[in-house]
Amino acid sequence: MGSIILTSPLQGWATAIDDVPDAVFSGRMLGDGVAIDPLGNTLHAPCDGEILTLHASHHAVTLRGEGGVEVLMHLGIDTVALGGKGFEPLVSVGEQVTRGQPLVRFDLDAVAQAVPSLITPVIVTNAADFRITRTETGRVVGVGEGLIYLDPAEPMVEVSREPSGDRVTAPVRIPMVHGIHARPAARIGEAARAFTAESWIVKDGCEASTRSPIALLKLGIRLHDRVEVAASGSDAEAAVAALIALIESGMDEHDHAATPAPTPIPAPVAGAAVIPEGALAGALAAPGFAMGQARWLRVADMEVPVDGQGEVQETQRLTDALATMRARLSTGDDDSAGAAIRRAHAAFLDDPALQLGAFAEVGQGRDAGHAWRSACRAMADSMRAMGDARFAERADDLIDLERQMLHILTGTQEEALRFAPGTVLLADELLPSQVMALDANVVGLVLERGGPTSHVAILAATMGLPALVACGPALTNVADGATLILDADNGLVHVDPTPQALNSAGAVVARRAAARAAALAAAKDVCVSRDGVRIEAFANLGSVEDAVIAMENGAEGSGLLRTEFLFLDRDRAPSVEQQAALYGEVAATLQGRPLIVRLLDIGGDKPASYLPIAAEENPALGLRGIRVGLAMPHVLDEQLRAILSVTPHGQCRIMVPMVASVAELQAVRARVDAIKAEMGVTHPVELGIMVETPAAAVTAATLARHADFLSIGTNDLTQYALAMDRGNPAVAAGIDGLHPAVLHLIALTTQGAQAHKRWVGVCGGLASDRLAIPLLLGLGVTELSAAPRFVPDLKALVRRLSVADCRAHAARALQLESAAQVRTLARRFEEEFLA
Ligand code: PEP
Ligand code: MG
C-alpha cells in the first residue's frame, strides 16, 4: 500500500498538535495529527471513507478511510458542552463519504464566542498502525489541500496485551454529563495503558477495547448509562478497579444540572470479583442459595389523564384518595417487615411538601392522579439526586406509594401475580409492595438495579428469599424460562448451567434446607462450643421489627442497636420521649435480654438531615460517631437521658461508636455519671466501646481499663485498616475483614481486653460470616452479634466448633499474607472440622 494523504477538512491556520490548549490532544492521548484554527464554517471529509461516529452534540466526527486509517475531527475545545447548539450535521453514521464532502456546518461566530477555542484537532486515532511521514503546518491551508501524509507502519508483534486468565468485570454508571466523548475516551485509554491486562467497556452486550477511542465513541455512552468494565490478564482486577475509579470520578465532567442521578450501583461483592463463565455478578441483598426458572416481571406505568374535570372535583378526589390510603396504611396484619414499610409509606403520604406539590397541580387544572404522580416523581428525583444510597433507595417507597394511590384514584387493583413453582424473579426494580405480594413459588430475586440496604432487600431477607441487586444491564440478556442457580452468598447468578452444575446445586439446596431446619429447631437452645466454651449469640437490630425477628430466631440479646436507623427517615431530631419509647419497645421485645444501645453513629456514610454537619471532603475521617455527640453535647445528653429511662434498669448497656482515644470515653462517662445523678439513677450502667479504628485496637489495653466491654465493628475496622472506603465500588473487591491486618488488630483487641478481664464481642459483618466465626472464637471473642435471621445458623456452627481447634486455626491465619489465603485456609478448616 502506498502513502495515504489526508486533506485538510477546513480552511484555516494549520498548526502542530502540541499547540492545542488541551492536554488530551496535545498529549496525544487520542493519537497524533495536526490542528486547524478554522476560517471557514464547514467541516469536510479528509478522505474517502465511512462515517464511524457522530457525537450527539455534532461537534466531533470520526471516519475510517483508505487502508483502515481512522480519523477524528474535533471541532473546537469544550464544544461538547454546547449540546449541539450551533452545529448542523450533514451526514449520518454508516454513510460512505467522498473526500471533500461537507460533513458538519457550524456557526463560526456563535461557537467561537461560546467556547475557549475553535481550534480543531485532526487526529489519526490508530496512529500505531501508521507512520506519519509529513504534516503541513505553520500556514493557512484550504479545504482539500494535503495536510497529513502517512505510510502503514511495520506490523508489530503484540507481546503483553493478549487476553489471558479469568475475565474480571464490574458495573459502573456514567456520571459524566456528556457521557463518553473524546476526552473521557482518551483518559480511559491512557489509564488502561498503565496495565498489561486487555480491557473493555461493555454496553448492552457491545464491547469496545479501551485502546480504541473510536470503538469507545461508537458505543454512544451517555450520562447515567450503566456499563460494564471488563479486563483480562494478570493485573485485570487492578485495571478494572482503576477504570471504575476514573469513571466514577466524573473526570471533572459531573452532572451539576438538576438531572437526578439514579440509585448508585453498589459494588459487586468481593467473592464475585472474578466472574465465572456464564454467570452474572450482583450485590448481595439477602443471603441464600436457590435454583429455578427465570421469570421477568415488567411493570408498565399506569395511564392517567393529564387534565382534570375541574379544580373542585379533582381536589375532592385527591383528598378522598389520601384518606383511603391513610386508612389502609394504618391497618393490615402485623407482619413485622410489612408494618415497618407501612409506617414509611404513611410518613411519605402526609409529607407537607408532597401534598403541597400535588394540590398545586390540581389547582392548575390537572387530573388528581396526574398531579399525584408528578409530585411523587419530583420528590423521588430529588431524593435520588442527594447522592446517598439510602435516600435513593427510599425513593422506591415513594414510587410504590404513587402506584397504590393511582389504583385508588382509578378504582383498579394491582393484578395478582401468579408464578410457577421454582420461579427466580427477575426485574429492573421491584417495589416493596410487589415483594410483599409474592407467593411461595418464588424462590429468589435478581434485580438489574436496586440497592443492598433498600426496603426490598430488607423484605427479601425477612422472607428468607435469596436476592441479588445491581446486576446491571447484562441481566436483560437472560431470557424468560432460563434455568438459574442463584448463589446470593457469593454474589452470583449462573445462567443455563451444565447438568453437572445443576446436580451439585440440587445437592447444595437439599443440604442447606436440612441444615437450616435443624438449626431452627435448636434456635432457642443455649450457645456453647463443642469443648464447653459459652459464646453469646446476639443479634444486630435497627428497628423493633428486627427485635421481633431476633426473638423468633433465638437471639440471646442484642449486641448492637443501631439507634441512628430508628431515626433515619426523619427531618427533625427525635425528642427524648420519642427515643425513650422506641428503646423501651425494643427492650420489651427482647423480654429482659441484654440490649446494647449504640450512641448515635451519624456522619460518614450515615447522614441525618436534622444534624448540621457541614459537607466534608473526607467524611469517613471527619465528624462522625462519638465525635458528633461530643461536638453537639445536647444530642448526646438527650440520648443518654432516653436510654437511662428505660426499664427494667440495667437491661440497656451503652456503647460508644468510633472511639479513637481514652479521652472520648472519659468524656462520655462523665456525661453518663452527671445525667444519672440528675435523674436519680443509682443502678450500675455498663459503658463499652466499639473498636472500629486501628487506634482503638492497638491501644485496647489502655481503653479496656476504662471500658466495661469492647465490641469490634469489623466493617469500619476493615475500612480504616486497609484505607479502603467501604462505600466505594472501586475498592470493594479488596475490602475483606479476613485480611491478616484486620485479624492482627482483632488479636490486639482481645489481648488488651484480657489484661483487664473485659469481654470482647464482634458486631460487624464478620459475625455473620461462616468462614470468619471459627477465627473470631480462636482469637478470643466470646460474643457474636449477627444478622437476626443468621442467629440459628450461628448457634449451630458454634456448637460444632472446638475453641481449642479454633485457636490453632487462628494462629495459622495470622501468619498468612492475604485475605484470599485466609479464606482458603478457612475453607479447609470447614472441610476438615465441619464437613
Ligand atoms: C461496624 O463498623 O462494623 C459496625 C458494626 O458499625 P456500622 O456498620 O453501623 O458502621
Ligand atoms: Mg461502624
Side-chain angles (χ1 to χ4, degrees):
M1 196 197 310
S3 291
I4 298 165
I5 302 173
L6 300 178
T7 49
S8 180
L10 286 161
Q11 185 197 1
W13 179 263
T15 187
I17 197 78
D18 311 69
D19 296 337
V20 178
D22 185 329
V24 161
F25 297 106
S26 59
R28 293 177 170 73
M29 288 187 206
L30 286 158
D32 208 351
V34 167
I36 299 175
D37 212 344
L39 298 169
N41 70 347
T42 307
L43 183 79
H44 300 260
C47 57
D48 295 349
E50 180 193 343
I51 302 293
L52 295 178
T53 67
L54 174 60
H55 192 275
S57 297
H58 307 143
H59 69 292
V61 185
T62 62
L63 59 75
R64 185 184 297 118
E66 186 190 340
V69 63
E70 293 181 348
V71 188
L72 164 70
M73 290 159 288
H74 194 279
L75 283 162
I77 303 302
D78 290 350
T79 31
V80 66
L82 299 180
K85 218 160 129 212
F87 295 93
E88 184 195 348
L90 305 170
V91 288
S92 43
V93 174
E95 203 173 314
Q96 294 293 331
V97 294
T98 53
R99 188 188 296 275
Q101 183 175 330
L103 305 178
V104 177
R105 193 167 299 126
F106 52 99
D107 185 336
L108 191 63
D109 293 339
V111 176
Q113 276 172 17
V115 296
S117 168
L118 245 183
I119 196 159
T120 297
V122 180
I123 300 222
V124 177
T125 56
N126 51 349
D129 299 338
F130 296 89
R131 195 166 53 87
I132 297 182
T133 53
R134 182 155 73 90
T135 56
E136 208 57 66
T137 56
R139 68 178 181 86
V140 171
V141 291
V143 172
E145 271 191 56
L147 185 71
I148 302 174
Y149 298 80
L150 310 143
D151 280 339
E154 292 295 316
M156 286 202 307
V157 185
E158 276 277 357
V159 240
S160 54
R161 282 184 153 269
E162 282 302 298
S164 63
D166 285 327
R167 189 167 154 125
V168 178
T169 68
V172 65
R173 193 187 302 281
I174 301 296
M176 289 84 78
V177 68
H178 304 298
I180 295 191
H181 60 99
R183 182 193 311 276
R187 296 200 46 194
I188 288 170
E190 188 191 41
R193 280 192 286 276
F195 299 90
T196 55
E198 189 77 12
S199 53
W200 302 267
I201 304 286
V202 188
K203 188 194 157 212
D204 297 338
C206 300
E207 64 183 36
S209 165
T210 53
R211 283 195 286 161
S212 166
I214 292 199
L216 287 176
L217 297 178
K218 277 178 86 174
L219 292 178
I221 294 169
R222 297 182 177 222
L223 172 70
H224 296 333
D225 276 353
R226 279 157 304 158
V227 300
E228 305 273 323
V229 176
S232 175
S234 58
D235 52 3
E237 274 189 42
V240 169
L243 291 173
I244 295 257
L246 175 67
I247 293 172
E248 288 194 324
S249 75
M251 306 185 209
D252 296 328
E253 297 190 5
H254 269 295
D255 173 24
H256 295 300
T259 322
T263 311
I265 298 181
V269 292
V274 176
I275 303 167
E277 183 131 356
L280 293 172
L284 170 65
F289 189 96
M291 48 198 287
Q293 259 55 53
R295 154 91 191 269
W296 273 95
L297 181 67
R298 294 188 173 91
V299 186
D301 258 356
M302 291 174 64
E303 292 209 1
V304 281
V306 177
D307 294 322
Q309 302 180 8
E311 186 180 343
V312 176
Q313 198 171 334
E314 296 301 329
T315 302
Q316 192 57 52
R317 284 184 66 219
L318 186 54
T319 310
D320 293 347
L322 285 168
T324 311
M325 189 73 229
R326 203 172 291 117
R328 265 190 209 172
L329 290 173
S330 64
T331 55
D333 62 35
D334 234 0
D335 156 53
S336 51
I341 287 157
R342 282 201 305 276
R343 266 206 304 276
H345 286 186
F348 276 135
L349 190 73
D350 286 325
D351 186 288
L354 185 67
Q355 292 202 4
L356 212 68
F359 281 109
E361 283 226 19
V362 163
Q364 288 161 10
R366 299 285 178 247
D367 171 85
H370 179 89
W372 180 252
R373 170 142 72 200
S374 47
C376 286
R377 297 273 162 112
M379 188 179 251
D381 285 350
S382 61
M383 292 176 91
R384 290 190 179 115
M386 285 170 84
D388 180 88
R390 282 197 184 99
F391 284 101
E393 287 161 0
R394 296 300 173 263
D396 297 345
D397 287 307
L398 203 50
I399 300 300
D400 198 349
L401 186 63
E402 167 200 314
R403 206 171 167 86
Q404 295 179 56
M405 279 283 286
L406 291 190
H407 277 304
I408 295 173
L409 281 162
T410 54
T412 54
Q413 273 191 343
E414 197 72 70
E415 250 175 68
L417 300 168
R418 294 274 168 268
F419 301 99
T423 295
V424 177
L425 198 64
L426 312 187
D428 172 12
E429 269 182 306
L430 276 179
L431 301 173
S433 62
Q434 291 169 326
V435 179
M436 281 192 274
L438 296 178
D439 62 32
N441 288 334
V442 176
V443 294
L445 303 177
V446 185
L447 305 189
E448 189 185 338
R449 293 160 47 90
T453 57
S454 64
H455 269 147
V456 165
I458 294 167
L459 274 173
T462 310
M463 293 159 72
L465 274 180
L468 280 188
V469 294
C471 293
L475 187 66
T476 50
N477 299 330
V478 178
D480 265 323
T483 300
L484 302 179
I485 298 173
L486 171 54
D487 182 0
D489 298 343
N490 286 310
L492 291 172
V493 56
H494 302 267
V495 184
D496 286 328
T498 59
Q500 294 93 311
L502 266 181
N503 271 347
S504 33
V508 173
V509 170
R511 212 169 44 237
R512 288 205 180 196
R516 175 79 189 159
L520 271 174
K524 310 263 158 99
D525 297 353
V526 72
C527 183
V528 180
S529 74
R530 189 155 55 81
D531 52 354
V533 181
R534 171 84 174 99
I535 303 294
E536 285 176 305
F538 282 5
N540 289 348
L541 310 177
S543 64
V544 179
E545 291 73 30
D546 285 349
V548 174
I549 297 168
M551 289 297 286
E552 285 164 5
N553 283 279
E556 298 168 339
S558 169
L560 168 64
L561 172 63
R562 288 183 164 106
T563 54
E564 62 283 352
F565 279 14
L566 295 170
F567 304 109
L568 201 61
D569 294 328
R570 297 174 58 95
D571 55 6
R572 222 166 295 144
S575 65
V576 175
E577 294 69 31
Q578 286 168 326
Q579 293 190 53
L582 259 170
Y583 305 152
E585 213 181 323
V586 175
T589 310
L590 294 183
Q591 299 173 8
R593 290 170 178 76
L595 169 59
I596 298 183
V597 183
R598 177 172 74 182
L599 298 176
L600 272 183
D601 186 18
I602 293 292
D605 61 330
K606 305 185 190 97
S609 55
Y610 51 84
L611 284 186
I613 299 177
E616 297 172 307
E617 201 160 321
N618 278 313
L621 305 181
L623 202 54
R624 62 163 300 189
I626 193 55
R627 297 171 195 172
V628 175
L630 295 176
M632 301 176 195
H634 64 283
V635 174
L636 176 63
D637 283 6
E638 288 182 3
Q639 187 169 29
L640 290 175
R641 271 190 200 100
I643 299 169
L644 291 169
S645 68
V646 174
T647 52
H649 297 307
Q651 185 183 356
C652 288
R653 303 169 187 172
I654 298 173
M655 183 158 71
V656 188
M658 295 299 301
V659 170
S661 63
V662 169
E664 292 161 333
L665 178 58
Q666 284 172 325
V668 177
R669 192 174 286 283
R671 290 316 303 154
V672 173
D673 290 344
I675 292 169
K676 274 176 73 180
E678 197 183 292
M679 293 172 66
V681 172
T682 51
H683 62 267
V685 177
E686 284 192 36
L687 180 67
I689 61 162
M690 286 198 74
V691 176
E692 294 170 289
T693 63
V698 171
T699 60
T702 315
L703 284 161
R705 208 178 294 138
H706 304 269
D708 296 315
F709 61 88
L710 296 86
S711 180
I712 305 175
T714 49
N715 308 335
D716 275 314
L717 187 60
T718 307
Q719 140 165 284
Y720 293 118
L722 304 182
M724 290 180 173
D725 179 350
R726 64 194 261 194
N728 183 342
V731 294
I735 296 204
D736 189 335
L738 290 193
H739 190 293
V742 183
L743 298 183
H744 278 281
L745 289 172
I746 296 173
L748 281 174
T749 307
T750 50
Q751 285 157 17
Q754 273 155 17
H756 298 279
K757 301 203 166 33
R758 303 292 186 232
W759 63 262
V760 177
V762 168
C763 58
L766 283 195
S768 304
D769 181 340
R770 316 182 137 271
L771 292 182
I773 289 166
L775 290 166
L776 296 177
L777 299 197
L779 290 171
V781 168
T782 58
E783 179 249 37
L784 293 167
S785 195
R789 290 181 58 86
F790 185 71
V791 172
D793 306 274
L794 167 62
K795 285 183 165 182
L797 178 57
V798 169
R799 286 185 200 115
R800 297 171 65 202
L801 290 170
S802 138
V803 173
D805 290 342
C806 292
R807 276 197 205 108
H809 175 42
R812 272 195 292 275
L814 287 172
Q815 305 307 315
L816 297 178
E817 292 176 0
S818 67
Q821 285 184 358
V822 175
R823 287 211 173 262
T824 306
L825 178 78
R827 277 192 201 101
R828 261 192 244 128
F829 179 88
E830 198 174 42
E831 279 158 22
E832 192 176 338
F833 292 96
L834 299 166

